[in-house]
Amino acid sequence: MSDRKIDALGTDPKVIDGKAFAVKLREKIARQVKQLQAERGFTPGLAVVLVGEDPASKVYVRNKGEQTKECGMASFEHKLPATTTQAELLALIDQLNKDPKVNGILCQLPVPQQIDPQAIINAIDPDKDVDGFHVVNAGRLATGGQGLVPCTPYGCLLLLKDRLGDLSGKHAVVIGRSNIVGKPMAQLLLNESCTVTIAHSKTRDLPGEVRRADIVVAAVGRPEMVKGDWIKDGAVVIDVGINRIERDGKGKLVGDVDYASAYPKAGAITPVPGGVGPMTIALLLNNTLIAACRQHGVKLPD
Ligand code: NAD
């Protein structure tokens, strides 16, 4: 990383600091919530449902609850045993759909195997679907309707716009085609008038595709797969991957991009951790705020 430059503030301008961006976004949301309470007399509320004892899910749910409260919103946590049936979970979703204090509903995935996750997602009122996974919200995103956008790709888009401004005409390569990251990411970039290539496990010449990209978004789940010599000089690299590996006898989190070799080539790059990861919960809170304003028929405060 020979070309690392540190600016007067002691930060590296090449590194896209998602953690700092997310802090600012949460501060803005907290101000908007206060304004809604003072001027409109309501508090946005987020319900998070956790089924079972998955340790990673427990941490996510705890973090979501804490950050919801820190922003001044109401947090409703529902923890159900791993033996919960699909019918029982659907009954809870129905109750939350009808509760006017709940503006956003999220069911933490994965759910135990007796429950069909898509049936649960599609039971959530699309206007309260703050994860943006409901088929209606996927359709709205694809057709230019007013929906709720999945949080991780939405966070990536904000980081890209903050760095590049207008994205129109740029060639973006999204690696990964999942419903929660790759596909909505590609759709968001298309909506910004990028020329979009979606690469995936069957793509023939992945390095060649990535070499043509002004913007690379990697959402694969394979540690350090994208190498520096795949990156066009000056391209902006967004690394969504979160992979836990063992190195030198220690556990470590790495992305889908080989940061050490990509850093010198990239014009800007997100680190792992501290890049895309912190944006996801911030965008979940932002979606809850948007959903609450729409349900109350009021404009989002500035
Ligand atoms: P997924 O497993 O659902 O999808 C992975 C995609 O990668 C698939 O579409 C597949 O076609 C593609 N792929 C697999 N092997 C490939 C290869 N060799 N070459 C090219 N493409 C290949 O994963 P996901 O849910 O989209 O998540 C992707 C990564 O992003 C994971 O590391 C996950 O942990 C991370 N993630 C992070 C956040 C966050 O908040 N930062 C949120 C969601 C997911």
Side-chain angles (χ1 to χ4, degrees):
M1 285 176 235
S2 50
D3 65 342
R4 173 158 287 177
K5 293 186 182 69
I6 304 295
D7 67 14
L9 295 170
T11 53
D12 179 344
K14 216 186 217 198
V15 177
I16 300 175
D17 187 345
K19 199 171 167 192
F21 195 105
V23 168
K24 278 200 194 134
L25 182 56
R26 293 204 307 269
E27 285 169 359
K28 181 179 175 196
I29 295 166
R31 280 197 304 277
Q32 290 170 304
V33 168
K34 266 201 181 132
Q35 201 176 327
L36 286 174
Q37 287 166 330
E39 293 173 8
R40 304 287 184 171
F42 72 87
T43 299
L46 172 65
V48 179
V49 181
L50 173 66
V51 188
E53 301 289 333
D54 181 66
S57 294
K58 277 181 162 176
V59 174
Y60 293 141
V61 166
R62 195 180 61 225
N63 289 344
K64 284 169 188 174
E66 280 170 7
Q67 293 188 26
T68 305
K69 285 181 239 162
E70 274 167 27
C71 282
M73 297 192 196
S75 168
F76 308 97
E77 282 181 34
H78 295 266
K79 294 185 177 144
L80 306 180
T83 51
T84 302
T85 64
Q86 180 160 315
E88 286 166 336
L89 184 52
L90 287 172
L92 173 61
I93 300 292
D94 184 49
Q95 183 195 317
L96 297 173
N97 280 341
K98 290 175 180 149
D99 186 341
K101 291 195 291 303
V102 173
N103 306 112
I105 304 168
L106 175 155
C107 181
Q108 185 67 44
L109 301 177
V111 283
Q113 51 156 7
Q114 71 275 16
I115 299 171
D116 170 12
Q118 201 56 49
I120 302 307
I121 290 167
N122 285 338
I124 296 172
D125 177 344
D127 296 334
K128 294 190 176 186
D129 165 42
V130 282
D131 255 340
F133 295 162
H134 194 290
V135 67
V136 165
N137 282 319
R140 286 170 175 161
L141 181 60
T143 56
Q146 192 190 62
L148 290 162
V149 175
C151 304
T152 300
Y154 195 179
C156 295
L157 183 72
L158 292 192
L159 293 178
L160 280 167
K161 286 176 85 163
D162 183 59
R163 185 53 68 134
L164 293 172
D166 182 14
L167 305 183
S168 126
K170 303 229 179 274
H171 185 188
V173 173
V174 178
I175 318 173
R177 56 176 162 182
S178 71
N179 287 343
I180 64 168
V181 191
K183 278 188 221 161
M185 184 76 246
Q187 191 65 60
L188 284 168
L189 290 165
L190 184 61
N191 293 352
E192 295 295 324
S193 300
C194 290
T195 302
V196 184
T197 300
I198 307 176
H200 47 78
S201 54
K202 300 283 189 279
T203 294
R204 288 224 177 104
D205 176 17
L206 185 59
E209 297 294 344
V210 174
R211 279 189 194 110
R212 283 190 283 277
D214 306 308
I215 294 168
V216 181
V217 181
V220 187
R222 289 181 180 256
E224 300 174 329
M225 185 188 81
V226 178
K227 305 300 178 198
D229 68 354
W230 302 10
I231 307 292
K232 182 163 94 176
D233 278 333
V236 176
V237 179
I238 303 289
D239 190 352
V240 183
I242 303 176
N243 308 290
R244 197 168 287 281
I245 61 159
E246 281 271 320
R247 185 165 289 157
D248 305 326
K250 285 189 205 142
K252 192 174 185 283
L253 280 189
V254 298
D256 292 340
V257 176
D258 177 21
Y259 189 86
S261 66
Y263 175 91
K265 297 289 295 296
I269 184 165
T270 57
V272 177
V276 174
M279 294 294 286
T280 299
I281 299 185
L283 269 299
L284 172 70
L285 303 176
N286 199 54
N287 273 351
T288 304
L289 182 72
I290 292 170
C293 287
R294 287 184 189 154
Q295 284 157 39
H296 285 269
V298 304
K299 219 174 124 265
L300 197 66
D302 292 328

